Amino acid sequence: MLTSDAGRLERHTTIRDLWSEALDILSAHYIEFVIYISVAADRTEPLVLTNMPELYHDAAPVTDPFLEHCCNSYEITHTGPGYLSAHPYLSEADRSFVERAGEVGFQSGLGIPMRLQGSTRFGGFNLGTGLDRSAFEARIVPKQEEFRVFCLLLHRKIEELMADTAPRETEFRDLLITPPDSQLAGLSPREREVIYLIARGLTRKECARHCGISPHTVAEYTKSAYRKLGVTNRKDAAAKLSYL
């Protein structure tokens, strides 16, 4: 499973090695094309990681329609030429950009927004395949929440490594990987993070590794979060958070 594979991300100390590992993991799950874009709130300081750099030879990364149309909510968007008919609001320039991706081989994909609370940057991942829409919906879409969790953990690690070289006002470990939502408002920041990962299928040991805390502490946060959410087990917590 992708959540188990995500443990391999934690060992890396450079973005280059981390990105190479992520591409290897994702390719084993039929993801052939990966684009990560992160920009400052005013769309400056772009960070782009991708195995299809030719897509940006004639277009600045900040003009990628992903930023405009996929980062306004936390919903996963289906992308690529295979889904152009599902997005009639796209401008001609946006459609041309998507079609250029298709010429490289990107036919159908998942647009997964990433936003960490406390961060002034936003963006996310566009995970592409060469599959037609029918095959994509049979093979990839049923697992899109697994891809979301993997990308959240990868995004967190990228941000952590960036902070090592360019410290920010907010310590990275104070940031969350969970989207903001009123239903979780009663939970502490760490409770939100832990319950999100536990509900998504990570073991306590895996959760501890990604959060930089002990399995015992994970258990305590989980117990507290269960009580506040009015649930008693992982299954109920997953149902409660299924909309995230």
Side-chain angles (χ1 to χ4, degrees), residues 5 28-29 31 47 54 84 94 105 111 119 121 124 132 136 149 151 155 161 183 192 206 210 215 227 237 240 242:
D5 290 337
H29 294 271
I31 301 299
L47 170 65
E54 61 271 36
L84 274 175
D94 290 343
S119 174
R121 299 184 68 86
D132 62 29
F136 176 79
V149 174
C151 286
H155 177 68
L161 293 178
Q183 187 160 321
R192 289 167 58 105
E206 290 169 338
H210 288 298
R227 178 177 54 79
K240 197 115 178 178
S242 62

Side-chain angles (χ1 to χ4, degrees), residues 5 27 37 54 72 74 83 128-130 155 178 211 221 227:
D5 290 337
S27 67
I37 304 179
E54 61 271 36
N72 292 320
Y74 290 105
Y83 285 92
T129 74
H155 177 68
T178 51
C211 294
Y221 281 126
R227 178 177 54 79

Side-chain angles (χ1 to χ4, degrees), residues 194-204 207 218 222 226 234:
V194 166
I195 199 63
Y196 183 86
L197 294 176
I198 291 294
R200 288 295 182 266
L202 271 69
T203 65
R204 288 180 179 177
C207 185
V218 168
T222 301
Y226 281 175
R234 182 197 300 264

Side-chain angles (χ1 to χ4, degrees), residues 228-240:
K228 292 179 180 180
L229 290 174
V231 300
T232 58
N233 54 57
R234 182 197 300 264
K235 181 179 179 181
D236 290 344
K240 197 115 178 178

